[in-house]
Amino acid sequence: MSSKKIVRLGDDRTGAGGQALPFAPAVRAGDFVFISGQVAMKENGEIEAGGIESQTRKTMENLIAALALADCTLEDIAKVGVWLDDPRDFWTFNRVYASYFPNGGPARSTVRSQIMVDAKVEIDAMVYKPLD
């Protein structure tokens, strides 16, 4: 793979009702990988039922799956952005999130924002993984 081109990975996904999603879950640009915002979307395109704990776990599973499209893992992440629908969910979110990074996590920004779908959390990531 040439390091001078942009490669979109996994851009054949669908959301609720089989609607095509107009973005790639992962994009490699040279030594960098950008992961689109992941939410607690199940295979059928519906959002995981339940509270912030179950939605954070599903969102992290989806993040791990998007990373795998570019042969990356959580250990390769340089920075994540997190959007929470309700700031009262922060401490529960943080506890679940931390369980995925037992040795300390990447740089992170966390903000409160109304999310476009009926999700409680969204996470994107910037990854540095050199092509060898």
Side-chain angles (χ1 to χ4, degrees):
M1 178 183 311
S2 170
S3 63
K4 294 189 180 201
K5 67 182 196 177
I6 293 175
V7 179
R8 290 167 179 78
L9 305 163
D11 59 355
D12 57 352
R13 301 181 324 150
T14 57
Q19 182 178 359
L21 299 175
F23 59 89
V27 174
R28 178 175 275 284
D31 291 339
F32 293 92
V33 176
F34 301 91
I35 303 298
S36 291
Q38 300 296 304
V39 296
M41 185 181 293
K42 299 183 291 187
E43 290 295 321
N44 66 2
E46 300 295 326
I47 297 297
E48 178 83 19
I52 189 65
E53 188 166 345
S54 63
Q55 284 205 14
T56 300
R57 289 191 193 290
K58 183 61 178 168
T59 299
M60 291 301 294
E61 290 172 18
N62 290 345
L63 178 64
I64 291 166
L67 288 163
L69 293 171
D71 295 321
C72 297
T73 69
L74 292 173
E75 292 295 317
D76 299 312
I77 297 175
K79 183 173 189 311
V80 297
V82 177
W83 293 265
L84 292 175
D85 186 58
D86 187 337
R88 295 171 293 186
D89 288 335
F90 178 76
W91 296 111
T92 302
F93 158 78
N94 212 41
R95 178 179 46 78
V96 175
Y97 176 89
S99 72
Y100 287 87
F101 298 100
N103 299 317
R108 182 180 92 186
S109 299
T110 305
V111 299
R112 188 259 176 215
S113 178
Q114 186 174 4
I115 299 173
M116 294 306 295
V117 295
D118 192 21
K120 297 182 179 301
V121 60
E122 182 168 348
I123 302 173
D124 71 3
M126 291 179 271
V127 178
Y128 179 72
K129 183 153 186 185
L131 295 166
D132 292 329

